[in-house]
Amino acid sequence: MIFIDGTMGVVSADELDSYIEKRRILSFRRTGTWVRVTDKDSLRGASGKKMFEGKERRKT
């Protein structure tokens, strides 16, 4: 992740959620691509109302 001050670091998934909510990061890396944190509501599931409602396709 890239923090607001421009430094880079690594945190757990739970910590990432907290940093996004508190707007303390600029971007983070997910599946080989960088995700820019400009508006937390535009991130998937951030509002609690935009959860995926389609058929489950992940392997278990």
Side-chain angles (χ1 to χ4, degrees), residues 56-60:
E56 177 62 56
R57 297 183 297 177
R58 293 179 286 192
K59 294 181 182 180
T60 56

Side-chain angles (χ1 to χ4, degrees), residues 11-48:
V11 297
S12 70
D14 291 334
E15 290 173 307
L16 176 62
D17 290 340
S18 175
Y19 278 100
I20 291 171
E21 185 176 309
K22 295 175 183 176
R23 299 179 186 258
R24 294 190 173 170
I25 62 171
L26 296 175
S27 59
F28 64 94
R29 194 168 176 112
R30 176 177 57 204
T31 318
T33 61
W34 284 95
V35 177
R36 184 168 203 129
V37 181
T38 54
D39 179 8
K40 73 175 189 160
D41 292 334
S42 67
L43 296 173
R44 187 171 21 165
S47 70

